[in-house]
Structures are given as C-alpha cells and as structure tokens.
Amino acid sequence: SAPAVLPATADLPPMVVTGRRHDQRLLEADRTLHRLDKERLTVQQPQGMAEALQETAGVHVQQTNRGAGAPFLRGLVGPQNLLLVDGLRFSNSTFRTGPNQYLNLLDPVQADRVEVLLGPGSVLYGSDALGGAVHVLPAGWRQDGRQARGGVRYGSADTSWAVWGEDGWRGQDASVLAGGAWRDYGTLRVGGGGEAPASDYRQG
C-alpha cells in the first residue's frame, strides 16, 4: 500500500503554558527557588530592587553606577532573564541585549516579597527565562476599608533620605490605591574622607 501523505500545513490545537499560581513549600519545589520576604527587605533597606538581590545565593548583581543594577542568573543577563510583576511580564522584546537597568524601575518598598527562580524556566513562563526569573509580588490588601502606610529612610554615608507613602480604600465592589515615593541621594563618601564622583542622584 502507498504511504500516507501528510498535508503541507496542519492546524494544531492552541496550547497555553503558565506558571503555577498556588502556594508551595520551598523544600517541595523541584527547582532552585529563593524567597525574599517583607521582613528581609525591611531589614536590608535596599536602595533599589537590584540591590535587594545582592545577598541571594546564585545571583550576581552588576552595578556600574548608583541607582542601577542588572542581575545575572545562571551566568545569563538582560533579556535572557524574565522579570515579572504580580505574574505579568515586565520584560519585553524592546529590552536591549546585555546588562540593562530596568529592574531598578521597580520600588522595593512596594514589594511584599520577591521570588527568584534559578535555571531555565521557559516551560513555566515562556520565552526569555533561560537563566531564570525574578518575580516581584506587590503588597496586597490587608483589610476592607481604608488603609495607609508609609516610611522614612536616612543614610549617613551619602546624606541620603527617602520618604514614601500610600493610601487606599477597599470596598466590596471597587478599590482605590494611590502612592508615591521620593529619594534624594547625596555624594557617596568613601574611606579616607574622599568622595565618589557623580554618585548623587534623585529618584521619584
């Protein structure tokens, strides 16, 4: 009998791959996963989201200047690592190759926790997760009704200060949340009384 001839084109059923959306213990995870909770972020007081990852095992953070930073996951950097905010893709195809500073656009005081997945994560998250994924989960609503929170930070090494706050209201059918932050970092003083040039910046 003659062999069957397959058509030149074939319609395949759609396939959707998403990350897991349920709680799981770290010891039960089948991948190398690190969690930075709110308590750790409060004690560490990082200036930016990239700096918050500096003490995470297996993560190298490149900082060529203050107020910036690019994480290396499994030796890969830039668009080869996926950045997520509350499950939504923060990375996109317009990010340049090599180290980029887009992670520092996220404010660490607004994060409830940060999860770092090391190793290829394309099966769970799709493309751009060759080195791993950094998932920033913002602070959620604690109760119904009105809620407000804020904070002040001061640093003597560069005479820096920061203030941030947010106010919100949550009802049964609608919620409103507004907030802001302002930071002023002065010139960084180094050992021996010297100063690091071009180390001052402002952020809001």
Side-chain angles (χ1 to χ4, degrees):
S1 62
V5 179
L6 298 177
T9 60
D11 294 331
L12 300 176
M15 180 180 296
V16 178
V17 179
T18 58
R20 299 185 181 95
R21 299 289 293 179
H22 60 83
D23 295 336
Q24 184 182 29
R25 290 193 177 98
L26 284 177
L27 293 178
E28 296 176 355
D30 56 354
R31 309 293 300 277
T32 302
L33 185 65
H34 298 290
R35 172 189 167 112
L36 288 72
D37 55 19
K38 185 66 175 179
E39 289 74 16
R40 178 175 173 179
L41 293 174
T42 302
V43 172
Q44 188 179 355
Q45 289 291 308
Q47 292 185 359
M49 191 62 69
E51 186 177 307
L53 304 177
Q54 280 186 340
E55 298 179 5
T56 303
V59 179
H60 170 72
V61 177
Q62 179 194 35
Q63 286 188 290
T64 55
N65 60 292
R66 302 187 71 204
F72 283 74
L73 307 178
R74 289 289 193 256
L76 300 177
V77 69
Q80 297 169 326
N81 297 323
L82 180 62
L83 306 179
L84 298 167
V85 178
D86 200 19
L88 301 178
R89 179 183 293 267
F90 185 67
S91 307
N92 57 60
S93 59
T94 64
F95 281 18
R96 70 177 183 89
T97 57
N100 58 63
Q101 317 299 332
Y102 300 108
L103 182 61
N104 250 33
L105 295 176
L106 305 177
D107 197 331
V109 300
Q110 296 176 339
D112 181 66
R113 69 182 187 272
V114 181
E115 297 178 355
V116 182
L117 174 71
L118 298 179
S122 298
V123 175
L124 287 176
Y125 296 105
S127 61
D128 304 335
L130 301 177
V134 177
H135 195 174
V136 180
L137 296 164
W141 295 93
R142 298 186 300 274
Q143 59 186 3
D144 292 339
R146 184 177 179 182
Q147 59 179 357
R149 64 192 187 105
V152 178
R153 178 181 185 272
Y154 174 78
S156 59
D158 53 0
T159 318
S160 63
W161 61 271
V163 59
W164 63 274
E166 65 180 23
D167 192 2
W169 177 85
R170 179 182 182 183
Q172 293 183 349
D173 301 323
S175 301
V176 178
L177 178 67
W182 176 259
R183 294 177 174 84
D184 189 349
Y185 296 98
T187 302
L188 182 63
R189 293 179 295 175
V190 297
E195 295 182 347
S199 58
D200 57 320
Y201 69 100
R202 295 176 179 176
Q203 183 182 35

